[in-house]
Amino acid sequence: MRTQQHGRDAYDVVVVGGGTAGLSAALILGRSRRSVRVVDAGEPRNAPAAHMHGYPSRDGMPPAAFLAEVRREVAAYGVEIVRDRVTAAEPDEADGFVVTTADGGPVRARRLVVATGLVDAPPDLPGVAERWGKDVLHCPFCHGWEVRDQAIGVLYAKASGIHQALLFSALSDDVTLFLHGADEDALPDSDWQLLAAAGVSVVTGKLDGLVVTGDALAGVRLADGRVFARSVFVVPPRMTPRDGLLTALGARTRQTPAGPFVDVDPTGLTSVPGVWAVGNAAGAAEQVVNAASAGYRAGVTLHAELLHADLARAAERRRGGVFSPEGERAVARARASRSGA
Ligand SMILES: Cc1cc2nc3c(=O)[nH]c(=O)nc-3n(C[C@H](O)[C@H](O)[C@H](O)COP(=O)(O)OP(=O)(O)OC[C@H]3O[C@@H](n4cnc5c(N)ncnc54)[C@H](O)[C@@H]3O)c2cc1C
């Protein structure tokens, strides 16, 4: 149950972000009888996709229906879930944080779980942003099966090289890699050999944009006017974590292939004591199932950490001569079980 401290609602944990990662942490914390408030702005990353794949038992479920189901489960354990946006989280003078939101009053939290996800910025090519998550895709594991055997275009990316084209070649015999002005001579011989072995065609010219017919991708247009009929176009988005709250608290970042992300230990704990970061806020590679797992791990660790902090304080008070009837009964039970009585 939430309590009051200095006139403000106070929780054991405020979870910022109610996507899979945040809700998964909230689920395990709620089941551990922690007072938890989830503040969610309601913009999960996979919202543009019609279906979610690769999550055992939920494969093919619409993302919004999946999250609605998880919210129902989490709320059943007394967790409060509100639609709002956290604008600041600052250290409290006591143990914990003051969390400020756009629409509600500030609340206190002893611990924070930041599960704010990331923002995808698809490449700046005409038509790409409009079709993002529909037939402009980025992930063979999320949507690859659904576009198997189709005419697939892949935009070359320096960071990942030809990797995406090779992955999609396992799903279709009709894959074309568009170099979009990248220097073809810079591709090593080994890449050309792999592309040939995978049956991937390569187009070298600069792209001008997409050709869309009705509500479907029809092709990819080059600057010289040529059009290549494609029903799917694979692009590399720039992925930027929504980590403003974390960096404002002083969380350390680390360099990753997708750019800087907040540094976390295997439980999601950041370099700021009391602050966990999970899901895409802490790593670009986290899929839904990984986000759920990260949230679970953080919830378990955080609960144990709070429990031990409280018990250590209670033991300290006891040593100082402050006794509670419940505490004394617990000590008596522990002694009795140790002596085999
Ligand atoms: C088009 C597309 C399709 C995808 N398909 C799949 C798929 O099929 N299978 C799969 O496993 N993965 C898929 N993914 C990846 C998937 O979206 C992520 O793995 C997953 O969303 C990560 O969960 P998360 O909880 O970390 O972040 P998110 O789901 O993005 O949730 C973050 C939440 O935090 C909220 N938030 C952010 N800032 C604040 C704030 N300051 N205050 C309050 N709330 C805030 C956001 O509004 C959002 O609701 C896809 C990604 C994309 C782009």
Side-chain angles (χ1 to χ4, degrees):
M1 288 291 282
R2 99 180 97 150
T3 55
Q4 286 268 312
Q5 260 183 8
H6 307 300
R8 286 177 181 154
D9 286 342
Y11 298 84
D12 287 327
V13 186
V14 166
V15 178
V16 189
T20 307
L23 289 174
S24 173
L27 181 61
I28 216 65
L29 289 163
R31 285 176 52 75
S32 306
R33 309 192 78 176
R34 289 290 169 198
S35 60
V36 182
R37 187 178 182 87
V38 177
V39 184
D40 182 36
E43 294 161 354
R45 183 180 172 208
N46 55 354
H51 302 103
M52 175 188 84
H53 291 281
Y55 195 106
S57 86
R58 296 295 179 268
D59 189 58
M61 197 171 181
F66 173 73
L67 286 180
E69 180 65 12
V70 187
R71 279 196 297 273
R72 193 191 57 71
E73 291 172 353
V74 170
Y77 295 104
V79 170
E80 294 176 18
I81 305 175
V82 295
R83 176 58 58 85
D84 201 346
R85 184 177 297 278
V86 172
T87 50
E90 286 155 341
D92 200 356
E93 70 275 5
D95 173 35
F97 305 88
V98 175
V99 178
T100 311
T101 65
D103 297 335
V107 298
R108 302 167 81 91
R110 296 179 65 197
R111 302 291 183 268
L112 287 180
V113 175
V114 177
T116 43
L118 62 73
V119 177
D120 291 291
D124 190 16
L125 267 174
V128 161
E130 292 82 347
R131 304 223 53 83
W132 173 246
K134 300 181 177 78
D135 34 31
V136 171
L137 309 176
H138 74 297
C139 166
F141 307 104
C142 305
H143 337 266
W145 172 264
E146 285 62 43
V147 302
R148 67 193 182 283
D149 297 329
Q150 294 190 29
I152 300 174
V154 178
L155 182 62
Y156 175 78
K158 199 160 179 222
S160 52
I162 62 169
H163 187 57
Q164 285 286 59
L166 298 180
L167 286 176
F168 275 91
S169 77
L171 296 156
S172 170
D173 290 338
D174 185 2
V175 177
T176 300
L177 178 66
F178 292 90
L179 291 185
H180 188 37
D183 181 5
E184 58 189 290
D185 295 330
L187 283 189
D189 273 354
S190 54
D191 277 4
W192 287 106
Q193 279 159 23
L194 288 173
L195 290 166
V200 174
S201 313
V202 179
V203 172
T204 54
K206 222 140 158 84
L207 295 181
D208 182 47
L210 303 186
V211 181
V212 177
T213 308
D215 189 29
L217 179 68
V220 175
R221 190 177 52 246
L222 265 71
D224 63 14
R226 281 180 297 158
V227 171
F228 290 81
R230 299 285 96 183
S231 55
V232 176
F233 193 44
V234 178
V235 302
R238 197 177 65 248
M239 294 179 270
T240 310
R242 292 197 193 95
D243 62 2
L245 299 171
L246 294 162
T247 51
L249 282 163
R252 198 173 49 229
T253 58
R254 70 191 192 287
Q255 200 51 241
T256 77
F261 275 70
V262 158
D263 200 15
V264 289
D265 78 0
T267 75
L269 182 63
T270 69
S271 59
V272 183
V275 181
W276 275 256
V278 288
N280 278 158
E286 302 286 82
Q287 297 290 84
V288 178
V289 72
N290 313 116
S293 162
Y296 190 106
R297 261 199 315 273
V300 167
T301 317
L302 194 166
H303 168 62
E305 191 261 319
L306 273 180
L307 183 68
H308 281 278
D310 288 346
L311 292 179
R313 234 190 322 261
E316 181 66 34
R317 277 203 304 274
R318 196 167 177 277
R319 279 195 294 276
V322 180
F323 299 102
S324 73
E326 302 80 40
E328 292 314 297
R329 276 196 291 275
V331 170
R333 273 199 306 276
R335 285 204 172 121
S337 71
R338 237 183 9 190
S339 65

PDB file of all heavy atoms in Angstrom, residues 40-76:
ATOM      1  N   ASP A  40       3.194   5.597 -17.105  1.00  0.00           N
ATOM      2  CA  ASP A  40       3.454   5.214 -18.493  1.00  0.00           C
ATOM      3  C   ASP A  40       2.893   6.240 -19.466  1.00  0.00           C
ATOM      4  O   ASP A  40       1.712   6.584 -19.406  1.00  0.00           O
ATOM      5  CB  ASP A  40       2.828   3.846 -18.780  1.00  0.00           C
ATOM      6  CG  ASP A  40       3.129   3.388 -20.202  1.00  0.00           C
ATOM      7  OD1 ASP A  40       4.250   3.666 -20.688  1.00  0.00           O
ATOM      8  OD2 ASP A  40       2.238   2.781 -20.825  1.00  0.00           O
ATOM      9  N   ALA A  41       3.735   6.699 -20.367  1.00  0.00           N
ATOM     10  CA  ALA A  41       3.307   7.678 -21.366  1.00  0.00           C
ATOM     11  C   ALA A  41       2.588   7.023 -22.545  1.00  0.00           C
ATOM     12  O   ALA A  41       2.045   7.715 -23.407  1.00  0.00           O
ATOM     13  CB  ALA A  41       4.522   8.469 -21.859  1.00  0.00           C
ATOM     14  N   GLY A  42       2.611   5.694 -22.614  1.00  0.00           N
ATOM     15  CA  GLY A  42       1.772   4.990 -23.592  1.00  0.00           C
ATOM     16  C   GLY A  42       2.286   4.996 -25.022  1.00  0.00           C
ATOM     17  O   GLY A  42       1.480   4.948 -25.959  1.00  0.00           O
ATOM     18  N   GLU A  43       3.612   5.017 -25.201  1.00  0.00           N
ATOM     19  CA  GLU A  43       4.163   4.976 -26.567  1.00  0.00           C
ATOM     20  C   GLU A  43       5.180   3.854 -26.687  1.00  0.00           C
ATOM     21  O   GLU A  43       6.384   4.088 -26.861  1.00  0.00           O
ATOM     22  CB  GLU A  43       4.841   6.318 -26.891  1.00  0.00           C
ATOM     23  CG  GLU A  43       3.884   7.480 -26.951  1.00  0.00           C
ATOM     24  CD  GLU A  43       4.584   8.824 -26.816  1.00  0.00           C
ATOM     25  OE1 GLU A  43       5.809   8.870 -26.562  1.00  0.00           O
ATOM     26  OE2 GLU A  43       3.884   9.842 -26.957  1.00  0.00           O
ATOM     27  N   PRO A  44       4.721   2.590 -26.590  1.00  0.00           N
ATOM     28  CA  PRO A  44       5.687   1.493 -26.702  1.00  0.00           C
ATOM     29  C   PRO A  44       6.298   1.439 -28.101  1.00  0.00           C
ATOM     30  O   PRO A  44       5.658   1.803 -29.093  1.00  0.00           O
ATOM     31  CB  PRO A  44       4.843   0.245 -26.418  1.00  0.00           C
ATOM     32  CG  PRO A  44       3.447   0.651 -26.700  1.00  0.00           C
ATOM     33  CD  PRO A  44       3.358   2.123 -26.418  1.00  0.00           C
ATOM     34  N   ARG A  45       7.502   0.951 -28.156  1.00  0.00           N
ATOM     35  CA  ARG A  45       8.289   1.009 -29.381  1.00  0.00           C
ATOM     36  C   ARG A  45       7.638   0.256 -30.543  1.00  0.00           C
ATOM     37  O   ARG A  45       7.706   0.688 -31.698  1.00  0.00           O
ATOM     38  CB  ARG A  45       9.668   0.402 -29.065  1.00  0.00           C
ATOM     39  CG  ARG A  45      10.618   0.466 -30.204  1.00  0.00           C
ATOM     40  CD  ARG A  45      11.935  -0.144 -29.813  1.00  0.00           C
ATOM     41  NE  ARG A  45      12.761  -0.244 -30.980  1.00  0.00           N
ATOM     42  CZ  ARG A  45      13.698  -1.140 -31.175  1.00  0.00           C
ATOM     43  NH1 ARG A  45      13.960  -2.013 -30.209  1.00  0.00           N
ATOM     44  NH2 ARG A  45      14.396  -1.163 -32.270  1.00  0.00           N
ATOM     45  N   ASN A  46       7.033  -0.903 -30.258  1.00  0.00           N
ATOM     46  CA  ASN A  46       6.497  -1.718 -31.356  1.00  0.00           C
ATOM     47  C   ASN A  46       5.058  -1.363 -31.709  1.00  0.00           C
ATOM     48  O   ASN A  46       4.395  -2.107 -32.428  1.00  0.00           O
ATOM     49  CB  ASN A  46       6.618  -3.215 -31.042  1.00  0.00           C
ATOM     50  CG  ASN A  46       5.974  -3.585 -29.717  1.00  0.00           C
ATOM     51  OD1 ASN A  46       5.534  -2.722 -28.986  1.00  0.00           O
ATOM     52  ND2 ASN A  46       5.943  -4.869 -29.416  1.00  0.00           N
ATOM     53  N   ALA A  47       4.579  -0.205 -31.250  1.00  0.00           N
ATOM     54  CA  ALA A  47       3.198   0.195 -31.544  1.00  0.00           C
ATOM     55  C   ALA A  47       2.879   0.214 -33.047  1.00  0.00           C
ATOM     56  O   ALA A  47       1.761  -0.130 -33.429  1.00  0.00           O
ATOM     57  CB  ALA A  47       2.901   1.542 -30.905  1.00  0.00           C
ATOM     58  N   PRO A  48       3.830   0.599 -33.938  1.00  0.00           N
ATOM     59  CA  PRO A  48       3.461   0.618 -35.356  1.00  0.00           C
ATOM     60  C   PRO A  48       3.223  -0.771 -35.957  1.00  0.00           C
ATOM     61  O   PRO A  48       2.632  -0.871 -37.033  1.00  0.00           O
ATOM     62  CB  PRO A  48       4.686   1.271 -36.043  1.00  0.00           C
ATOM     63  CG  PRO A  48       5.471   1.903 -34.962  1.00  0.00           C
ATOM     64  CD  PRO A  48       5.181   1.141 -33.714  1.00  0.00           C
ATOM     65  N   ALA A  49       3.670  -1.820 -35.287  1.00  0.00           N
ATOM     66  CA  ALA A  49       3.541  -3.166 -35.856  1.00  0.00           C
ATOM     67  C   ALA A  49       2.169  -3.752 -35.526  1.00  0.00           C
ATOM     68  O   ALA A  49       1.660  -3.576 -34.420  1.00  0.00           O
ATOM     69  CB  ALA A  49       4.638  -4.077 -35.301  1.00  0.00           C
ATOM     70  N   ALA A  50       1.595  -4.472 -36.486  1.00  0.00           N
ATOM     71  CA  ALA A  50       0.269  -5.071 -36.262  1.00  0.00           C
ATOM     72  C   ALA A  50       0.364  -6.281 -35.337  1.00  0.00           C
ATOM     73  O   ALA A  50      -0.570  -6.573 -34.597  1.00  0.00           O
ATOM     74  CB  ALA A  50      -0.353  -5.465 -37.597  1.00  0.00           C
ATOM     75  N   HIS A  51       1.505  -6.981 -35.398  1.00  0.00           N
ATOM     76  CA  HIS A  51       1.634  -8.210 -34.615  1.00  0.00           C
ATOM     77  C   HIS A  51       3.005  -8.299 -33.965  1.00  0.00           C
ATOM     78  O   HIS A  51       3.979  -7.775 -34.484  1.00  0.00           O
ATOM     79  CB  HIS A  51       1.405  -9.442 -35.503  1.00  0.00           C
ATOM     80  CG  HIS A  51       0.068  -9.427 -36.167  1.00  0.00           C
ATOM     81  ND1 HIS A  51      -0.090  -9.100 -37.494  1.00  0.00           N
ATOM     82  CD2 HIS A  51      -1.162  -9.643 -35.671  1.00  0.00           C
ATOM     83  CE1 HIS A  51      -1.372  -9.132 -37.787  1.00  0.00           C
ATOM     84  NE2 HIS A  51      -2.053  -9.457 -36.706  1.00  0.00           N
ATOM     85  N   MET A  52       3.033  -9.002 -32.842  1.00  0.00           N
ATOM     86  CA  MET A  52       4.297  -9.222 -32.130  1.00  0.00           C
ATOM     87  C   MET A  52       4.689 -10.692 -32.289  1.00  0.00           C
ATOM     88  O   MET A  52       3.829 -11.566 -32.156  1.00  0.00           O
ATOM     89  CB  MET A  52       4.055  -8.906 -30.655  1.00  0.00           C
ATOM     90  CG  MET A  52       5.202  -9.181 -29.735  1.00  0.00           C
ATOM     91  SD  MET A  52       4.656  -8.982 -28.014  1.00  0.00           S
ATOM     92  CE  MET A  52       3.945 -10.577 -27.681  1.00  0.00           C
ATOM     93  N   HIS A  53       5.955 -10.912 -32.542  1.00  0.00           N
ATOM     94  CA  HIS A  53       6.390 -12.296 -32.750  1.00  0.00           C
ATOM     95  C   HIS A  53       7.575 -12.648 -31.860  1.00  0.00           C
ATOM     96  O   HIS A  53       8.307 -11.772 -31.399  1.00  0.00           O
ATOM     97  CB  HIS A  53       6.763 -12.515 -34.220  1.00  0.00           C
ATOM     98  CG  HIS A  53       5.559 -12.458 -35.105  1.00  0.00           C
ATOM     99  ND1 HIS A  53       4.689 -13.504 -35.249  1.00  0.00           N
ATOM    100  CD2 HIS A  53       5.054 -11.453 -35.849  1.00  0.00           C
ATOM    101  CE1 HIS A  53       3.706 -13.164 -36.052  1.00  0.00           C
ATOM    102  NE2 HIS A  53       3.899 -11.919 -36.434  1.00  0.00           N
ATOM    103  N   GLY A  54       7.725 -13.962 -31.643  1.00  0.00           N
ATOM    104  CA  GLY A  54       8.893 -14.454 -30.926  1.00  0.00           C
ATOM    105  C   GLY A  54       8.714 -14.511 -29.419  1.00  0.00           C
ATOM    106  O   GLY A  54       9.680 -14.795 -28.709  1.00  0.00           O
ATOM    107  N   TYR A  55       7.511 -14.250 -28.916  1.00  0.00           N
ATOM    108  CA  TYR A  55       7.271 -14.347 -27.475  1.00  0.00           C
ATOM    109  C   TYR A  55       6.466 -15.618 -27.251  1.00  0.00           C
ATOM    110  O   TYR A  55       5.297 -15.695 -27.650  1.00  0.00           O
ATOM    111  CB  TYR A  55       6.493 -13.115 -26.989  1.00  0.00           C
ATOM    112  CG  TYR A  55       6.509 -12.943 -25.484  1.00  0.00           C
ATOM    113  CD1 TYR A  55       7.291 -11.962 -24.892  1.00  0.00           C
ATOM    114  CD2 TYR A  55       5.758 -13.768 -24.658  1.00  0.00           C
ATOM    115  CE1 TYR A  55       7.322 -11.802 -23.516  1.00  0.00           C
ATOM    116  CE2 TYR A  55       5.791 -13.624 -23.283  1.00  0.00           C
ATOM    117  CZ  TYR A  55       6.577 -12.637 -22.714  1.00  0.00           C
ATOM    118  OH  TYR A  55       6.613 -12.480 -21.354  1.00  0.00           O
ATOM    119  N   PRO A  56       7.105 -16.625 -26.623  1.00  0.00           N
ATOM    120  CA  PRO A  56       6.416 -17.914 -26.505  1.00  0.00           C
ATOM    121  C   PRO A  56       5.033 -17.761 -25.874  1.00  0.00           C
ATOM    122  O   PRO A  56       4.870 -17.033 -24.888  1.00  0.00           O
ATOM    123  CB  PRO A  56       7.340 -18.729 -25.583  1.00  0.00           C
ATOM    124  CG  PRO A  56       8.680 -18.112 -25.754  1.00  0.00           C
ATOM    125  CD  PRO A  56       8.435 -16.648 -26.003  1.00  0.00           C
ATOM    126  N   SER A  57       4.084 -18.415 -26.471  1.00  0.00           N
ATOM    127  CA  SER A  57       2.661 -18.442 -26.063  1.00  0.00           C
ATOM    128  C   SER A  57       1.887 -17.202 -26.516  1.00  0.00           C
ATOM    129  O   SER A  57       0.671 -17.156 -26.387  1.00  0.00           O
ATOM    130  CB  SER A  57       2.474 -18.633 -24.548  1.00  0.00           C
ATOM    131  OG  SER A  57       2.523 -17.394 -23.868  1.00  0.00           O
ATOM    132  N   ARG A  58       2.586 -16.170 -27.013  1.00  0.00           N
ATOM    133  CA  ARG A  58       1.893 -14.944 -27.451  1.00  0.00           C
ATOM    134  C   ARG A  58       2.290 -14.568 -28.874  1.00  0.00           C
ATOM    135  O   ARG A  58       2.072 -13.439 -29.299  1.00  0.00           O
ATOM    136  CB  ARG A  58       2.215 -13.773 -26.509  1.00  0.00           C
ATOM    137  CG  ARG A  58       1.713 -13.965 -25.099  1.00  0.00           C
ATOM    138  CD  ARG A  58       0.188 -14.003 -25.079  1.00  0.00           C
ATOM    139  NE  ARG A  58      -0.338 -14.215 -23.749  1.00  0.00           N
ATOM    140  CZ  ARG A  58      -0.625 -15.415 -23.232  1.00  0.00           C
ATOM    141  NH1 ARG A  58      -0.423 -16.522 -23.939  1.00  0.00           N
ATOM    142  NH2 ARG A  58      -1.124 -15.528 -22.021  1.00  0.00           N
ATOM    143  N   ASP A  59       2.884 -15.508 -29.591  1.00  0.00           N
ATOM    144  CA  ASP A  59       3.372 -15.228 -30.942  1.00  0.00           C
ATOM    145  C   ASP A  59       2.213 -14.795 -31.847  1.00  0.00           C
ATOM    146  O   ASP A  59       1.201 -15.497 -31.936  1.00  0.00           O
ATOM    147  CB  ASP A  59       4.026 -16.502 -31.497  1.00  0.00           C
ATOM    148  CG  ASP A  59       4.750 -16.231 -32.798  1.00  0.00           C
ATOM    149  OD1 ASP A  59       5.654 -15.379 -32.793  1.00  0.00           O
ATOM    150  OD2 ASP A  59       4.393 -16.862 -33.810  1.00  0.00           O
ATOM    151  N   GLY A  60       2.342 -13.631 -32.467  1.00  0.00           N
ATOM    152  CA  GLY A  60       1.316 -13.141 -33.390  1.00  0.00           C
ATOM    153  C   GLY A  60       0.275 -12.254 -32.736  1.00  0.00           C
ATOM    154  O   GLY A  60      -0.620 -11.741 -33.414  1.00  0.00           O
ATOM    155  N   MET A  61       0.390 -12.039 -31.444  1.00  0.00           N
ATOM    156  CA  MET A  61      -0.593 -11.200 -30.738  1.00  0.00           C
ATOM    157  C   MET A  61      -0.356  -9.721 -31.081  1.00  0.00           C
ATOM    158  O   MET A  61       0.793  -9.291 -31.197  1.00  0.00           O
ATOM    159  CB  MET A  61      -0.400 -11.417 -29.231  1.00  0.00           C
ATOM    160  CG  MET A  61      -1.539 -10.958 -28.380  1.00  0.00           C
ATOM    161  SD  MET A  61      -1.232 -11.552 -26.683  1.00  0.00           S
ATOM    162  CE  MET A  61      -2.692 -10.931 -25.881  1.00  0.00           C
ATOM    163  N   PRO A  62      -1.401  -8.907 -31.234  1.00  0.00           N
ATOM    164  CA  PRO A  62      -1.170  -7.469 -31.429  1.00  0.00           C
ATOM    165  C   PRO A  62      -0.468  -6.884 -30.195  1.00  0.00           C
ATOM    166  O   PRO A  62      -0.858  -7.203 -29.057  1.00  0.00           O
ATOM    167  CB  PRO A  62      -2.583  -6.897 -31.577  1.00  0.00           C
ATOM    168  CG  PRO A  62      -3.430  -8.050 -31.985  1.00  0.00           C
ATOM    169  CD  PRO A  62      -2.815  -9.275 -31.343  1.00  0.00           C
ATOM    170  N   PRO A  63       0.548  -6.048 -30.374  1.00  0.00           N
ATOM    171  CA  PRO A  63       1.292  -5.509 -29.229  1.00  0.00           C
ATOM    172  C   PRO A  63       0.403  -4.824 -28.198  1.00  0.00           C
ATOM    173  O   PRO A  63       0.596  -4.997 -26.991  1.00  0.00           O
ATOM    174  CB  PRO A  63       2.257  -4.506 -29.867  1.00  0.00           C
ATOM    175  CG  PRO A  63       2.418  -4.949 -31.266  1.00  0.00           C
ATOM    176  CD  PRO A  63       1.138  -5.616 -31.664  1.00  0.00           C
ATOM    177  N   ALA A  64      -0.605  -4.077 -28.658  1.00  0.00           N
ATOM    178  CA  ALA A  64      -1.454  -3.347 -27.707  1.00  0.00           C
ATOM    179  C   ALA A  64      -2.274  -4.329 -26.864  1.00  0.00           C
ATOM    180  O   ALA A  64      -2.466  -4.104 -25.658  1.00  0.00           O
ATOM    181  CB  ALA A  64      -2.380  -2.384 -28.450  1.00  0.00           C
ATOM    182  N   ALA A  65      -2.730  -5.419 -27.475  1.00  0.00           N
ATOM    183  CA  ALA A  65      -3.524  -6.412 -26.727  1.00  0.00           C
ATOM    184  C   ALA A  65      -2.635  -7.111 -25.698  1.00  0.00           C
ATOM    185  O   ALA A  65      -3.065  -7.399 -24.576  1.00  0.00           O
ATOM    186  CB  ALA A  65      -4.126  -7.421 -27.692  1.00  0.00           C
ATOM    187  N   PHE A  66      -1.391  -7.370 -26.082  1.00  0.00           N
ATOM    188  CA  PHE A  66      -0.449  -8.006 -25.157  1.00  0.00           C
ATOM    189  C   PHE A  66      -0.241  -7.125 -23.917  1.00  0.00           C
ATOM    190  O   PHE A  66      -0.362  -7.579 -22.778  1.00  0.00           O
ATOM    191  CB  PHE A  66       0.889  -8.246 -25.879  1.00  0.00           C
ATOM    192  CG  PHE A  66       1.992  -8.742 -24.996  1.00  0.00           C
ATOM    193  CD1 PHE A  66       1.995 -10.039 -24.516  1.00  0.00           C
ATOM    194  CD2 PHE A  66       3.045  -7.913 -24.655  1.00  0.00           C
ATOM    195  CE1 PHE A  66       3.019 -10.504 -23.703  1.00  0.00           C
ATOM    196  CE2 PHE A  66       4.076  -8.358 -23.846  1.00  0.00           C
ATOM    197  CZ  PHE A  66       4.065  -9.657 -23.371  1.00  0.00           C
ATOM    198  N   LEU A  67       0.033  -5.843 -24.139  1.00  0.00           N
ATOM    199  CA  LEU A  67       0.286  -4.952 -22.994  1.00  0.00           C
ATOM    200  C   LEU A  67      -0.971  -4.774 -22.152  1.00  0.00           C
ATOM    201  O   LEU A  67      -0.889  -4.674 -20.923  1.00  0.00           O
ATOM    202  CB  LEU A  67       0.818  -3.602 -23.481  1.00  0.00           C
ATOM    203  CG  LEU A  67       2.274  -3.607 -23.969  1.00  0.00           C
ATOM    204  CD1 LEU A  67       2.695  -2.204 -24.418  1.00  0.00           C
ATOM    205  CD2 LEU A  67       3.226  -4.098 -22.879  1.00  0.00           C
ATOM    206  N   ALA A  68      -2.146  -4.752 -22.786  1.00  0.00           N
ATOM    207  CA  ALA A  68      -3.394  -4.618 -22.018  1.00  0.00           C
ATOM    208  C   ALA A  68      -3.550  -5.818 -21.080  1.00  0.00           C
ATOM    209  O   ALA A  68      -3.948  -5.671 -19.924  1.00  0.00           O
ATOM    210  CB  ALA A  68      -4.588  -4.516 -22.970  1.00  0.00           C
ATOM    211  N   GLU A  69      -3.197  -6.994 -21.574  1.00  0.00           N
ATOM    212  CA  GLU A  69      -3.293  -8.206 -20.763  1.00  0.00           C
ATOM    213  C   GLU A  69      -2.296  -8.148 -19.584  1.00  0.00           C
ATOM    214  O   GLU A  69      -2.631  -8.497 -18.458  1.00  0.00           O
ATOM    215  CB  GLU A  69      -3.003  -9.422 -21.672  1.00  0.00           C
ATOM    216  CG  GLU A  69      -3.060 -10.771 -21.013  1.00  0.00           C
ATOM    217  CD  GLU A  69      -4.456 -11.135 -20.507  1.00  0.00           C
ATOM    218  OE1 GLU A  69      -5.424 -10.452 -20.860  1.00  0.00           O
ATOM    219  OE2 GLU A  69      -4.542 -12.097 -19.723  1.00  0.00           O
ATOM    220  N   VAL A  70      -1.079  -7.690 -19.871  1.00  0.00           N
ATOM    221  CA  VAL A  70      -0.084  -7.606 -18.782  1.00  0.00           C
ATOM    222  C   VAL A  70      -0.522  -6.569 -17.747  1.00  0.00           C
ATOM    223  O   VAL A  70      -0.391  -6.788 -16.540  1.00  0.00           O
ATOM    224  CB  VAL A  70       1.328  -7.279 -19.325  1.00  0.00           C
ATOM    225  CG1 VAL A  70       2.357  -7.362 -18.199  1.00  0.00           C
ATOM    226  CG2 VAL A  70       1.724  -8.214 -20.447  1.00  0.00           C
ATOM    227  N   ARG A  71      -1.074  -5.450 -18.215  1.00  0.00           N
ATOM    228  CA  ARG A  71      -1.551  -4.422 -17.261  1.00  0.00           C
ATOM    229  C   ARG A  71      -2.628  -5.002 -16.349  1.00  0.00           C
ATOM    230  O   ARG A  71      -2.644  -4.744 -15.145  1.00  0.00           O
ATOM    231  CB  ARG A  71      -2.110  -3.203 -18.018  1.00  0.00           C
ATOM    232  CG  ARG A  71      -1.041  -2.241 -18.493  1.00  0.00           C
ATOM    233  CD  ARG A  71      -1.638  -0.896 -18.886  1.00  0.00           C
ATOM    234  NE  ARG A  71      -2.555  -1.006 -20.006  1.00  0.00           N
ATOM    235  CZ  ARG A  71      -2.196  -0.951 -21.285  1.00  0.00           C
ATOM    236  NH1 ARG A  71      -0.934  -0.764 -21.608  1.00  0.00           N
ATOM    237  NH2 ARG A  71      -3.094  -1.067 -22.239  1.00  0.00           N
ATOM    238  N   ARG A  72      -3.522  -5.818 -16.928  1.00  0.00           N
ATOM    239  CA  ARG A  72      -4.588  -6.431 -16.133  1.00  0.00           C
ATOM    240  C   ARG A  72      -3.964  -7.340 -15.054  1.00  0.00           C
ATOM    241  O   ARG A  72      -4.352  -7.296 -13.891  1.00  0.00           O
ATOM    242  CB  ARG A  72      -5.502  -7.235 -17.064  1.00  0.00           C
ATOM    243  CG  ARG A  72      -6.809  -7.676 -16.441  1.00  0.00           C
ATOM    244  CD  ARG A  72      -7.527  -8.686 -17.326  1.00  0.00           C
ATOM    245  NE  ARG A  72      -6.749  -9.878 -17.631  1.00  0.00           N
ATOM    246  CZ  ARG A  72      -6.453 -10.852 -16.768  1.00  0.00           C
ATOM    247  NH1 ARG A  72      -6.884 -10.774 -15.539  1.00  0.00           N
ATOM    248  NH2 ARG A  72      -5.712 -11.897 -17.133  1.00  0.00           N
ATOM    249  N   GLU A  73      -2.971  -8.122 -15.452  1.00  0.00           N
ATOM    250  CA  GLU A  73      -2.321  -9.020 -14.487  1.00  0.00           C
ATOM    251  C   GLU A  73      -1.645  -8.225 -13.368  1.00  0.00           C
ATOM    252  O   GLU A  73      -1.749  -8.561 -12.191  1.00  0.00           O
ATOM    253  CB  GLU A  73      -1.279  -9.892 -15.201  1.00  0.00           C
ATOM    254  CG  GLU A  73      -1.877 -10.907 -16.150  1.00  0.00           C
ATOM    255  CD  GLU A  73      -0.824 -11.631 -16.996  1.00  0.00           C
ATOM    256  OE1 GLU A  73       0.369 -11.247 -16.949  1.00  0.00           O
ATOM    257  OE2 GLU A  73      -1.199 -12.551 -17.718  1.00  0.00           O
ATOM    258  N   VAL A  74      -0.942  -7.177 -13.755  1.00  0.00           N
ATOM    259  CA  VAL A  74      -0.172  -6.388 -12.783  1.00  0.00           C
ATOM    260  C   VAL A  74      -1.115  -5.670 -11.813  1.00  0.00           C
ATOM    261  O   VAL A  74      -0.892  -5.657 -10.592  1.00  0.00           O
ATOM    262  CB  VAL A  74       0.729  -5.372 -13.536  1.00  0.00           C
ATOM    263  CG1 VAL A  74       1.356  -4.387 -12.577  1.00  0.00           C
ATOM    264  CG2 VAL A  74       1.808  -6.109 -14.329  1.00  0.00           C
ATOM    265  N   ALA A  75      -2.196  -5.103 -12.342  1.00  0.00           N
ATOM    266  CA  ALA A  75      -3.132  -4.343 -11.500  1.00  0.00           C
ATOM    267  C   ALA A  75      -3.784  -5.254 -10.462  1.00  0.00           C
ATOM    268  O   ALA A  75      -4.144  -4.798  -9.367  1.00  0.00           O
ATOM    269  CB  ALA A  75      -4.194  -3.677 -12.372  1.00  0.00           C
ATOM    270  N   ALA A  76      -3.907  -6.540 -10.776  1.00  0.00           N
ATOM    271  CA  ALA A  76      -4.550  -7.477  -9.841  1.00  0.00           C
ATOM    272  C   ALA A  76      -3.747  -7.609  -8.545  1.00  0.00           C
ATOM    273  O   ALA A  76      -4.286  -8.065  -7.533  1.00  0.00           O
ATOM    274  CB  ALA A  76      -4.695  -8.850 -10.508  1.00  0.00           C
TER     275      ALA A  76
END
